[in-house]
Amino acid sequence: VTLAERARSVTESQSPTVLDTLSVAYAAAGRSDDAVRAATEALARARAIGADALAATIRARLDALTTKR
């Protein structure tokens, strides 16, 4: 989580891939609310830059996160 948070900071929360990684790290650490927030932001960033395949992957992960709640 610490490394993923550092990567988010370095990229100024602009990289959907970094935000997605952060979401996975949060989920693995049992921080589901943080995971959903990071995944939601990652999805928005991916869509904003037209990364449709990445957005679909993030959407699937986000759906899995919200289903587990």
Side-chain angles (χ1 to χ4, degrees):
V1 170
T2 301
L3 291 175
E5 287 176 335
R6 207 173 297 159
R8 177 189 59 191
S9 178
V10 168
T11 62
E12 298 178 345
S13 297
Q14 296 300 307
S15 170
T17 304
V18 169
L19 292 167
D20 183 41
T21 300
L22 179 60
S23 173
V24 171
Y26 281 147
R31 295 172 57 178
S32 59
D33 289 342
D34 290 329
V36 168
R37 274 192 291 277
T40 300
E41 188 174 354
L43 180 59
R45 296 282 180 212
R47 286 179 175 162
I49 64 170
D52 297 333
L54 179 58
T57 299
I58 295 168
R59 177 80 248 174
R61 233 186 306 276
L62 182 58
D63 288 346
L65 284 169
T66 56
T67 300
K68 288 182 180 180
R69 295 173 115 194

